Amino acid sequence: MFLKFLVPPVSKVIRHFSICQLPQELQTIQKTCRSFADRELKPVASDLDRTGQFPGDQIAKLADLGFMRITVTPEYGGSGLTMLALSIIVEELSRGCGSTGSIVSIHNCLYANLLNRVGTTEQKKSFFGKYSSSDIGAFALSESDAGSDVAALSTRAVEDGDSWILNGDKAWVTSAAEAKCAVVFATVNPSLKYKGIAAFLLDFENTKGLTIGRKEDKLGIRATSTCNLHLENVRIPRSNLLGTVNGGFRMAMEQLDRARIGIASQALGIAQGALETATQYAAQRIAFGKPLLNQASVQTRIAEMALKIECTRLLVRKAAVEIDQGLRATRSCAMAKWHAGETATFAAHNCQQIMGGMGFVKDMPAERFYRDARITEIYGGVTDVQKTIVAEHVIKELGVK
């Protein structure tokens, strides 16, 4: 695959990371993704959003480039890259199409990376081997009454001989309509709360008792499917337990750190797209005899957008590098997602303000940026949850009781 021969081992990328400049290998990846977004995503992003059509052709091309198993080891058909590389890829794709960025982010961060990190050799051979790199994997954690409160899961998993039987309903599953498989979280003992949660690999193919609900009609990222999963006496092999019986909660929390880097990168790409769109429009739009770009008020908005984007990019890359170095990055990931989500909304809002009425019509991408930005403050843990995580870590670090 393209990326196998593009970058050196993980350790070399990390060792040469600079806060000011990406190593040449990551610059090459960045340019490749930017070119792909300009050529393959920007021209179709509006139609995909309007129709809600899954970008299947684009995902297939991204898989050929090695972008659908970014952090998976080459042994299992992956590119063996870092979270930093994943972040850069998602940012650049989201600059062209927030929906495509979301699909790539969630598939890589929450499914492929988790299976590669925690799965047994047999599980990885089975699930990575059975499906191609363009096939989508999902992550089923949330429920209608258990979003941020993961310990409140009601989906049950019961042992039955050499099988597990799953019953319950999972909500807000991204790419559920297109997915071939998923990681599903369920409780094996509700009385243990978060200590009783386990994760299971679920193959959608020929699975009796699995029903995929209707696609939600969403405000933004409309080219992604978001559905409920209904599990009624779904029987899976005992070997499909991912990790340990009581290790599901910790596994989910560790994976959500990685997901927050992906979502923050998506938000960053949307914000960058908004900045570029606003600046290009302001350079062409004549008002009072001169381009809007010459007006101090417009320049102020552009400067504020640029500052927030630059701050976000540093936070996101810091969090990604911490993950790559094996550090506890929960605080950094929460900060990155919090700041990135607010930055995306801020940049999209100011893009619309600069463009005036043209920012409110579907002929221009500004209104799509605004709608796509909103989800980045919600999924993967709403902004209020990120603030709580940051506060708890700061209080603990300061030794205050």
Side-chain angles (χ1 to χ4, degrees):
M1 285 185 298
F2 174 79
L3 290 180
K4 283 185 181 179
F5 312 101
L6 190 59
V7 297
V10 170
S11 59
K12 186 175 180 181
V13 173
I14 293 174
R15 188 163 59 249
H16 289 89
F17 173 73
S18 166
I19 197 170
C20 300
Q21 186 178 36
L22 292 172
Q24 184 60 50
E25 296 83 2
L26 293 184
Q27 289 184 45
T28 301
I29 292 173
Q30 184 181 50
K31 290 177 182 177
T32 299
C33 291
R34 186 169 297 174
S35 174
F36 184 92
D38 289 339
R39 184 181 68 256
E40 301 285 348
L41 297 181
K42 282 187 176 182
V44 299
S46 179
D47 286 341
L48 292 173
D49 173 78
R50 178 176 50 80
T51 62
Q53 179 184 344
F54 181 79
D57 292 343
Q58 290 73 25
I59 293 297
K61 292 177 181 178
L62 289 169
D64 289 341
L65 290 171
F67 292 162
M68 295 307 290
R69 292 184 182 177
I70 297 167
T71 63
V72 175
T73 54
E75 179 182 0
Y76 301 107
S79 300
L81 299 179
T82 61
M83 284 301 299
L84 178 58
L86 192 158
S87 172
I88 292 166
I89 291 167
V90 171
E91 175 189 345
E92 292 299 333
L93 297 179
S94 300
R95 172 179 154 271
C97 174
S99 291
T100 303
S102 177
I103 293 164
V104 172
S105 169
I106 293 172
H107 167 77
N108 275 287
C109 293
L110 286 175
Y111 173 76
N113 179 266
L114 176 56
L115 177 56
N116 189 71
R117 283 197 318 115
V118 181
T120 64
T121 299
E122 290 73 20
Q123 287 171 340
K124 287 185 277 191
K125 284 181 178 178
S126 175
F127 280 82
F128 284 138
K130 180 178 181 179
Y131 295 111
S132 72
S133 59
S134 61
D135 289 326
I136 301 295
F139 185 82
L141 175 64
S142 295
E143 297 177 4
S144 57
D145 293 324
S148 299
D149 184 10
V150 176
L153 292 184
S154 61
T155 298
R156 289 295 308 275
V158 178
E159 287 187 85
D160 183 32
D162 291 333
S163 303
W164 288 94
I165 298 177
L166 306 181
N167 281 282
D169 292 280
K170 310 305 291 187
W172 310 112
V173 181
T174 301
S175 298
E178 298 81 22
K180 300 290 187 179
C181 42
V183 177
V184 177
F185 290 82
T187 179
V188 298
N189 188 341
S191 66
L192 294 178
K193 297 185 178 179
Y194 70 90
K195 293 182 179 179
I197 295 174
F200 303 89
L201 289 164
L202 179 62
D203 193 333
F204 285 12
E205 197 172 78
N206 300 319
T207 297
K208 295 180 180 179
L210 172 65
T211 303
I212 300 173
R214 66 175 179 83
K215 296 180 182 180
E216 300 290 349
D217 190 7
K218 304 187 299 292
L219 173 72
I221 57 168
R222 292 178 55 81
T224 69
S225 66
T226 304
C227 311
N228 287 4
L229 298 181
H230 177 65
L231 303 107
E232 184 175 357
N233 294 323
V234 171
R235 184 179 293 271
I236 61 173
R238 187 184 182 89
S239 59
N240 280 23
L241 172 70
L242 189 61
T244 61
V245 171
N246 297 319
F249 179 81
R250 179 174 180 178
M251 190 187 306
M253 294 302 101
E254 291 175 349
Q255 215 58 40
L256 283 175
D257 282 346
R258 291 161 173 80
R260 285 163 184 160
I261 292 174
I263 295 167
S265 303
Q266 176 196 358
L268 182 56
I270 293 169
Q272 182 67 37
L275 173 62
E276 293 173 5
T277 297
T279 305
Q280 291 164 2
Y281 179 84
Q284 299 170 2
R285 175 73 164 89
I286 304 299
F288 305 106
K290 58 182 179 180
L292 280 179
L293 201 57
N294 292 357
Q295 294 187 15
S297 60
V298 172
Q299 292 180 359
T300 296
R301 289 186 186 275
I302 289 172
E304 290 174 345
M305 292 162 71
L307 175 64
K308 288 182 180 292
I309 289 170
E310 191 71 11
C311 291
T312 296
R313 189 169 284 118
L314 293 175
L315 283 170
V316 173
R317 292 183 180 174
K318 175 179 181 290
V321 170
E322 287 184 8
I323 289 287
D324 289 333
Q325 292 176 334
L327 302 176
R328 292 287 299 273
T330 300
R331 177 180 183 268
S332 295
C333 293
M335 280 187 164
K337 184 186 179 300
W338 163 15
H339 199 274
E342 292 188 346
T343 296
T345 300
F346 177 86
H349 168 81
N350 278 276
C351 178
Q352 286 187 308
Q353 290 298 115
I354 289 171
M355 295 179 68
M358 290 304 296
F360 201 68
V361 299
K362 291 186 178 293
D363 289 340
M364 300 294 284
E367 61 87 32
R368 188 180 76 251
F369 291 143
Y370 191 84
R371 290 184 288 105
D372 286 351
R374 292 298 299 119
I375 192 60
T376 65
E377 294 190 72
I378 298 171
Y379 69 172
V382 296
T383 298
D384 303 77
V385 168
Q386 309 312 313
K387 291 179 180 180
T388 299
I389 292 171
V390 171
E392 288 175 348
H393 278 76
V394 170
I395 291 168
K396 183 178 181 180
E397 290 164 5
L398 293 176
V400 178
K401 298 181 180 179

